[in-house]
Amino acid sequence: MTSLDLMLLLAFAGFVFALAGFVKGVIGLGLPTISMGLLSVVMPPAQAAALLVVPSFVTNLWQIAGPGFGALLRRLATLLIGICVGVALGAGWLSAGHAPGWAGLALGLSLLAYASLGLLSVRLQVPARLEPWLAPWIGVATGLVTAATGVFVIPAVPWLQALGLAKDDLVRALGISFLVSTVALAVSLRHGGALDAQAAGSSLLALLPALLGMGLGQRLRRAVQPETFKRVFFTGLWLLGAYLALRSVLR
């Protein structure tokens, strides 16, 4: 790679994390989804996942701050344990030697599924009596998807949205789920050799544009129509997922 190629790659990565942070600031999610989707166009998914570890960890710490944290943590405990179990079961998938094509297809299909649910405005409801029984299995499924793709939105996000949480509690619950998924993913990547000292340093550099984007997004949250913004977000995500899936199939 020439010095010009390296500069262009760094500039692109900075733009991606600023955009992902901005979206997260507006709607409370989207950083790993956007960063994994766009960065996987120019680098292996395992490398992209390693870059998002620090920005995802710090921005989710920022997001979960506020009252009610303890109650939410207790309610989500079995979901979070399930996520850790799922990531452990799939440890090494993303960083395996054969992973780039397979993981790219899995990532594309995950983005397609997530974007389709968003565009269709699917609204699920979970009966209170079923929540304790289903939560661990939703967590395990989320962990497996995380281990395979580096994206931790399916099925955790639809599940959390179906619990009937208040707006601020939902944003905080998403942050808690993403934070635990990030830590579990980092351990998995470290075990698979994808998260070494150099990758961790690069991930730390990616934190600045992510924080700047998130701060701007939070400022603009009240000035934009959330539903319009979400439609644009999910449409772009659907197109990106379709591209990644087709590229992996035709490769």
Side-chain angles (χ1 to χ4, degrees):
M1 181 180 292
T2 67
S3 57
L4 178 59
D5 291 335
L6 180 59
M7 289 179 62
L8 290 174
L9 180 60
L10 290 174
F12 178 70
F15 165 76
V16 167
F17 279 105
L19 174 64
F22 173 77
V23 173
K24 184 176 181 64
V26 175
I27 63 176
L29 50 86
L31 190 144
T33 314
I34 291 175
S35 56
M36 279 298 299
L38 290 177
L39 290 176
S40 293
V41 175
V42 298
M43 65 181 65
Q47 186 179 351
L51 281 179
L52 73 83
V53 167
V54 174
S56 180
F57 181 82
V58 174
T59 55
N60 283 305
L61 274 180
W62 184 351
Q63 184 170 321
I64 66 177
F69 172 78
L72 274 175
L73 189 61
R74 288 190 294 272
R75 182 173 181 178
L76 300 178
T78 55
L79 173 76
L80 303 177
I81 293 171
I83 289 173
C84 295
V85 171
V87 172
L89 290 174
W93 285 357
L94 198 59
S95 52
H98 63 279
W102 181 84
L105 177 61
L107 175 58
L109 293 177
S110 295
L111 295 184
L112 280 171
Y114 178 48
S116 296
L117 289 174
L119 288 171
L120 294 172
S121 298
V122 175
R123 293 291 181 268
L124 305 174
Q125 288 187 334
V126 178
R129 68 181 185 280
L130 296 181
E131 183 181 342
W133 302 98
L134 293 179
W137 299 106
I138 296 295
V140 170
T142 302
L144 291 172
V145 173
T146 299
T149 68
V151 173
F152 19 89
V153 295
I154 295 293
V157 170
W159 167 264
L160 292 172
Q161 291 172 333
L163 295 183
L165 297 169
K167 180 180 177 180
D168 289 342
D169 285 341
L170 175 59
V171 171
R172 198 166 292 117
L174 289 169
I176 294 171
S177 173
F178 295 160
L179 182 64
V180 171
S181 297
T182 300
V183 173
L185 178 62
V187 172
S188 176
L189 291 171
R190 175 64 180 169
H191 176 75
L195 186 59
D196 54 16
Q198 182 178 356
S202 298
S203 182
L204 184 61
L205 290 177
L207 176 61
L208 180 58
L211 289 177
L212 290 175
M214 187 173 178
L216 179 59
Q218 287 183 331
R219 284 193 170 192
L220 295 181
R221 180 183 292 176
R222 297 176 182 175
V224 299
Q225 294 292 332
E227 291 306 315
T228 301
F229 188 89
K230 285 182 180 180
R231 279 195 295 271
V232 174
F233 166 64
F234 284 123
T235 299
L237 212 57
W238 196 96
L239 293 173
L240 178 60
Y243 168 75
L244 291 173
L246 285 173
R247 187 184 67 165
S248 299
V249 170
L250 298 175
R251 178 177 287 175

